[in-house]
Amino acid sequence: MSYSVRILSTKSLDSSPSVLLVSSDGTKTLVNSGEGCQRTFLEFGQKVSTINRICLTHLSHDSIGGIPGMILTAADVVKEAVSHAKAALDQKKKPPQQTTTTEEYRPGLHLIGPVGTQKFVSSLRYFIRRDSFHIKIHEGAYTQPKNGGPKKRKKGSKNEGAFEVQSIVCQMNNFHRSEDSTKRQRLETNHQALSYIFTTPPIQGKFLVDRAVALGIPKGPLFGQLKNGKSVTFTTEDGTTKTVSSSEVVEPGSPGISIAVLYYPSSECLEQLKSSEKLNEYKEEKKGHPVLEVMVHMTTRDLFLGNDAKQWRESFGSSGSEVKHIFLATADVQSSSTESSSSTEVVDSSLSPFHSAMIGAIARSEVCNSVYSAPKLPIKPRETIPIPSEKGDEAEPDFMEARPLLEYTVVPRGKRGFGNENASVKHWNSIQKHVLQTLDQSGAKDEAETALRKNHSSVLTSNANSKGELIFTGTASAVPCKHRNVSGIYLKMENGNSMLLDVGEGTVGQLMRARSDGASFLDVLCGIKAVWISHPHADHHLGLLRLLSDRRQVTGDPLLLIAPTSMLFFLQEYQDVDATVQGSYTFVDCKDVSTKVQRHLWSPEKHESHRQKMEQLNKDLGITRCTSVPVAHCRNAFAVILENTCFGRLVYSGDCRPSRPLAYAALGADLLIHEATFANGMEAEASLKRHSTVGEALQVAVDMKAKAVILTHFSQRYPKVPPVARKHNAPIVFAFDFLRVTPENLLVAADLTQAMRLLYSEEAAEMDDDISEDAEEAMNVPGLFAQKDVL
């Protein structure tokens, strides 16, 4: 039987604080699921399927940004879909629909959060179909009924089961900008912040085997009865009848051990926690009352180190039981985004949980740093973390600073204490050693040097001296993996302003890691003037919440959001939950710039409104025309053609099957960015899932007569560079995360393909599995993704 609290991730440019409570029955409770949460699970070998409860401290992108992705890729949902699809294929009939699904058969999730959690989950219906995934929601104050927790997965003693949970509600005032940016007045909105107390079931005392043997108790069933609190009567070797009570051979047990996860982003919230009756009950030891052993403090550094918080911490454990404190820093957009060694709110680079991606990017930058950016990692990871000393020693802090994988075990009592203090650094060092060794042995650097000696005149001659660039923040399909994030492309124009083409989960963090021009976080945010969302699938837009929220806090200038209609409906509902996105965007429906739009049916008011928006697009970015082309992928899926970018006519396919209408509409394009989810030879699978193979994408380029092609959106099964069936006249670039392309270096990037093939050889790919066994099995089931409950 084991219970512990584990730090999953901490605050950094690309991650948010989250905590795991690990129960003896194998289930886990997750506190907060910000952007990149499921990717963190992959990085550290955690299983999403073990999460059966998520507790939210507040409603914002850093606590709920990862929940839609967690729901969509939950392993239990995939397993059920695999089972249904296989059965249906064997019987040559359709899979069972929701009407035949019983409550106990359906996988699900228990979600506890502030008032507004239900509304947030409801807003997800515009892009998530979760008919087979049941979500039970509790808002605000919550105390778990006795014996009302999740069902046990394993048979065991009465002590085995999940943590019981109760919430503590704080009312807070939230200030945000008015939708009227000219007035710049600030409005006040009441909202909740939740803290939690997690308590183990009652803990049995230790069975004293030596004492039992000394009393002559025969080994066997009698030992079990004594452990369970019963008295036993037996006959000794000399024929004497003897009775022994449980208390004679079992140490006193405990009514339970409690762990408090406390969220107080402001002094206002701290004051409410200080007066909480639920917490104050732990200040004095009471018979039959659980003992508080660990307090995780999610707050700012200034508040945590202040006298008020320090005195409050010291008031716990005064009755003799020592309470351990873990500090898990939070920060607002301004302090977190200027990541530098001088900032008191910024922590070192090892706190990014995406070690495989960061180190992989470093390796690619060693091949050619002008094309493959090294992620911004300004501070060297520390090798060790000081363990808190006993009270009274002024040389050491009375708390432990959180790091990914840091764990405190509360049960078994003999193993209680901190562990994995340096696991994150060791994990980083292990991957770094392997990747850099592979780099040295691959011959990729030598191949790159040979390629770079060629004469690379720009393929886009009219734009050869442009200051614009493309940065790929995500190049994976469907779900993020260790080496690739989901879709996101940053297009920077000559005037310094920029546009995003799709904003998958984690895009902002990836962009901040990729920047190398010295621009501050705030400058980058303010410079983003427009966003294009190709279709409503979650992997292409979940990063929008952070972008809008962070940007709204630093500028009153709304960006232009060109997206499918469902995105507008989603954001209109979401902003009722998170007021920081209100007034952060001006909306344009993708259909309104489509090749099939019927503008003659528009009202004069709509004509004028649309004209003003397109004029603003031209003024901010220099784009003279933005045209969408409907493509075959899902409902409201579009490709886009952008005229007069720093690359000339730029075309982005989004997710789609090969499209002749797109090729004709963009004939003579300067640069085509096209998805290439599957390798050649998988045309049937690509057709079923409405994606393209490498060869199909390149044929679109041929039909379009594109001058250059960048392929992206690769399946997680292919960490290597996919082969190309035949030679093409246009240069071809295979995108990786942190790829930086300019009109000047585009040919260089294309000539580095062979170097990347050497770096990501077949053998290297086999040693690094990007997806779980469950996902691999799902991908191999023909027809799976055509079923109702899967996509």
Side-chain angles (χ1 to χ4, degrees):
M1 182 172 66
S2 177
Y3 293 87
S4 64
V5 56
R6 182 184 305 160
I7 304 300
L8 180 65
S9 59
T10 57
K11 182 67 180 181
S12 70
L13 284 180
D14 47 13
S15 63
S16 303
S18 58
V19 179
L20 278 173
L21 283 299
V22 184
S23 301
S24 68
D25 62 356
T27 60
K28 296 183 180 72
T29 296
L30 178 65
V31 180
N32 288 347
S33 178
E35 285 190 37
C37 193
Q38 59 175 322
R39 196 178 183 201
T40 306
F41 272 78
L42 282 173
E43 180 66 46
F44 294 134
Q46 309 286 317
K47 284 192 174 182
V48 175
S49 61
T50 60
I51 302 296
N52 65 342
R53 179 167 58 196
I54 298 179
C55 297
L56 304 175
T57 60
H58 60 292
L59 298 178
S60 181
H61 67 83
D62 59 346
S63 62
I64 61 178
I67 286 181
M70 292 279 284
I71 293 173
L72 283 170
T73 58
D76 283 346
V77 176
V78 175
K79 284 180 180 178
E80 185 191 34
V82 170
S83 176
H84 284 188
K86 284 182 175 179
L89 290 168
D90 290 341
Q91 301 173 23
K92 295 185 179 180
K93 67 178 183 180
K94 293 183 178 180
Q97 300 298 313
Q98 182 183 1
T99 53
T100 63
T101 303
T102 62
E103 183 71 20
E104 58 271 16
Y105 183 71
R106 296 164 67 190
L109 181 70
H110 185 194
L111 194 58
I112 306 171
V115 171
T117 301
Q118 177 68 63
K119 182 173 286 189
F120 164 68
V121 173
S122 176
S123 72
L124 303 181
R125 70 188 184 278
Y126 292 109
F127 56 89
I128 287 182
R129 299 175 64 175
R130 53 178 184 84
D131 298 341
S132 65
F133 195 83
H134 178 62
I135 299 180
K136 181 171 65 175
I137 299 173
H138 284 97
E139 295 186 331
Y142 175 76
T143 299
Q144 182 175 315
K146 295 296 180 182
N147 301 321
K151 294 181 180 180
K152 301 176 184 180
R153 293 190 172 192
K154 299 178 182 179
K155 294 182 179 180
S157 71
K158 63 182 180 182
N159 290 333
E160 293 187 324
F163 279 100
E164 292 186 354
V165 60
Q166 54 182 324
S167 64
I168 303 171
V169 179
C170 294
Q171 298 294 337
M172 297 183 61
N173 292 321
N174 181 41
F175 295 92
H176 58 90
R177 297 179 185 272
S178 167
E179 291 190 26
D180 186 349
S181 59
T182 60
K183 295 182 179 180
R184 304 182 74 86
Q185 67 187 70
R186 300 179 72 83
L187 305 178
E188 183 176 321
T189 304
N190 292 322
H191 69 288
Q192 292 182 338
L194 265 57
S195 296
Y196 296 91
I197 299 175
F198 300 93
T199 305
T200 70
I203 308 299
Q204 286 184 336
K206 181 180 179 181
F207 181 69
L208 305 174
V209 178
D210 293 342
R211 185 177 297 179
V213 172
L215 292 172
I217 304 171
K219 295 181 180 180
L222 295 183
F223 276 23
Q225 295 178 36
L226 289 165
K227 289 179 182 178
N228 291 328
K230 298 179 180 179
S231 297
V232 298
T233 301
F234 60 95
T235 302
T236 63
E237 293 182 355
D238 60 5
T240 305
T241 300
K242 190 174 184 179
T243 299
V244 176
S245 66
S246 176
S247 60
E248 294 181 67
V249 293
V250 178
E251 290 182 345
S254 165
I257 307 298
S258 293
I259 298 170
V261 179
L262 308 173
Y263 175 69
Y264 50 104
S266 66
S267 56
E268 172 191 18
C269 194
L270 173 60
E271 289 301 316
Q272 293 180 60
L273 288 177
K274 287 166 66 176
S275 61
S276 167
E277 293 183 3
K278 292 180 180 178
L279 284 173
N280 288 334
E281 288 179 353
Y282 287 96
K283 289 186 175 181
E284 295 182 4
E285 191 171 347
K286 297 179 182 179
K287 186 176 181 181
H289 192 275
V291 176
L292 180 63
E293 186 156 326
V294 183
M295 298 177 78
V296 180
H297 302 263
M298 300 176 68
T299 183
T300 63
R301 187 176 300 274
D302 289 343
L303 195 55
F304 180 77
L305 296 179
N307 288 332
D308 283 352
K310 185 175 181 180
Q311 292 174 6
W312 179 56
R313 291 197 303 272
E314 291 174 349
S315 67
F316 291 92
S318 57
S319 60
S321 58
E322 185 180 1
V323 177
K324 300 293 184 181
H325 299 278
I326 301 175
F327 170 50
L328 182 52
T330 61
D332 58 21
V333 60
Q334 288 88 349
S335 60
S336 68
S337 59
T338 56
E339 185 159 304
S340 65
S341 57
S342 60
S343 173
T344 59
E345 199 60 65
V346 171
V347 285
D348 65 68
S349 61
S350 67
L351 295 187
S352 171
F354 312 127
H355 295 180
S356 297
M358 297 300 112
I359 295 169
I362 291 172
R364 291 191 294 274
S365 73
E366 291 286 325
V367 175
C368 182
N369 60 16
S370 64
V371 174
Y372 300 103
S373 300
K376 190 173 180 61
L377 301 171
I379 307 171
K380 184 179 179 180
R382 296 171 298 188
E383 291 298 328
T384 60
I385 305 175
I387 302 294
S389 63
E390 297 296 328
K391 290 183 177 180
D393 186 348
E394 298 297 331
E396 296 287 353
D398 62 349
F399 63 90
M400 173 74 84
E401 186 148 351
R403 294 199 116 192
L405 301 183
L406 175 68
E407 189 164 17
Y408 187 94
T409 300
V410 294
V411 178
R413 305 302 283 162
K415 296 182 179 180
R416 62 177 173 171
F418 284 105
N420 293 338
E421 299 94 306
N422 303 304
S424 179
V425 173
K426 291 178 180 177
H427 184 262
W428 175 282
N429 291 339
S430 174
I431 296 174
Q432 185 178 48
K433 180 180 178 181
H434 169 71
V435 170
L436 296 183
Q437 186 179 48
T438 301
L439 171 63
D440 291 338
Q441 296 173 355
S442 67
K445 291 164 68 172
D446 293 337
E447 175 64 30
E449 289 179 4
T450 301
L452 292 172
R453 283 195 289 267
K454 295 181 180 179
N455 179 27
H456 293 102
S457 58
S458 174
V459 67
L460 310 177
T461 54
S462 61
N463 302 87
N465 298 317
S466 171
K467 297 179 181 179
E469 64 180 359
L470 281 166
I471 297 177
F472 285 76
T473 61
T475 55
S477 65
V479 295
C481 61
K482 288 191 292 185
H483 294 278
R484 296 183 187 269
N485 195 42
V486 286
S487 296
I489 303 171
Y490 173 78
L491 172 61
K492 183 179 177 181
M493 302 301 183
E494 293 186 45
N495 63 1
N497 290 336
S498 58
M499 178 179 189
L500 289 174
L501 305 175
D502 282 335
V503 193
E505 184 180 337
T507 293
V508 173
Q510 292 277 100
L511 180 57
M512 294 307 107
R513 292 285 184 197
R515 75 187 196 276
S516 62
D517 55 4
S520 71
F521 181 89
L522 305 186
D523 289 340
V524 173
L525 281 180
C526 293
I528 298 173
K529 301 297 184 180
V531 171
W532 165 266
I533 302 296
S534 62
H535 63 288
H537 282 171
D539 58 313
H540 288 255
H541 66 73
L542 283 182
L544 192 60
L545 301 182
R546 180 183 177 185
L547 173 66
L548 294 178
S549 178
D550 282 3
R551 192 177 182 278
R552 186 58 174 149
Q553 293 180 58
V554 298
T555 177
D557 178 28
L559 57 75
L560 188 66
L561 175 61
I562 310 174
T565 312
S566 56
M567 289 306 304
L568 175 62
F569 297 153
F570 164 63
L571 289 172
Q572 286 175 334
E573 291 190 22
Y574 176 78
Q575 67 187 23
D576 291 338
V577 173
D578 182 2
T580 62
V581 304
Q582 291 183 2
S584 60
Y585 62 92
T586 300
F587 187 79
V588 174
D589 194 321
C590 288
K591 293 179 180 178
D592 289 346
V593 293
S594 169
T595 52
K596 297 183 177 181
V597 65
Q598 296 180 313
R599 291 193 175 91
H600 63 279
L601 299 178
W602 288 4
S603 67
E605 292 78 14
K606 184 169 182 178
H607 269 289
E608 178 60 20
S609 174
H610 184 76
R611 182 190 65 79
Q612 292 179 5
K613 293 171 183 176
M614 293 301 101
E615 283 186 356
Q616 192 64 44
L617 184 68
N618 177 250
K619 178 182 177 181
D620 290 338
L621 299 169
I623 294 174
T624 56
R625 187 174 183 181
C626 173
T627 305
S628 67
V629 179
V631 291
H633 178 62
C634 66
R635 186 178 181 182
N636 292 324
F638 297 89
V640 66
I641 306 168
L642 301 174
E643 303 284 358
N644 199 43
T645 73
C646 54
F647 289 87
R649 175 181 286 183
L650 185 149
V651 183
Y652 172 51
S653 71
D655 287 6
C656 66
R657 292 290 297 142
S659 171
R660 288 197 174 187
L662 174 61
Y664 296 152
L667 194 65
D670 293 286
L671 177 62
L672 168 64
I673 304 172
H674 203 288
E675 72 117 288
T677 306
F678 295 100
N680 295 329
M682 300 190 70
E683 285 76 14
E685 198 75 354
S687 177
L688 175 67
K689 298 168 189 176
R690 296 194 173 188
H691 285 293
S692 299
T693 65
V694 171
E696 288 172 334
L698 292 177
Q699 185 58 49
V700 173
V702 171
D703 295 341
M704 190 182 292
K705 298 183 180 179
K707 295 177 182 176
V709 188
I710 301 178
L711 300 181
T712 185
H713 199 267
F714 300 108
S715 167
Q716 283 69 46
R717 285 176 287 177
Y718 305 108
K720 59 185 184 298
V721 179
V724 176
R726 61 187 176 87
K727 188 175 181 179
H728 291 260
N729 293 327
I732 303 167
V733 180
F734 289 87
F736 286 88
D737 290 14
F738 302 109
L739 171 69
R740 183 187 300 270
V741 176
T742 67
E744 187 176 17
N745 75 5
L746 202 152
L747 278 177
V748 176
D751 282 344
L752 290 173
T753 298
Q754 183 56 31
M756 289 297 104
R757 282 205 173 95
L758 293 175
L759 183 60
Y760 296 99
S761 64
E762 294 278 356
E763 293 77 13
E766 290 175 2
M767 291 187 290
D768 203 356
D769 186 14
D770 278 336
I771 57 176
S772 68
E773 293 178 0
D774 295 333
E776 181 72 58
E777 182 183 10
M779 293 291 282
N780 289 329
V781 177
L784 170 63
F785 289 86
Q787 307 304 335
K788 175 184 177 184
D789 295 335
V790 180
L791 287 180

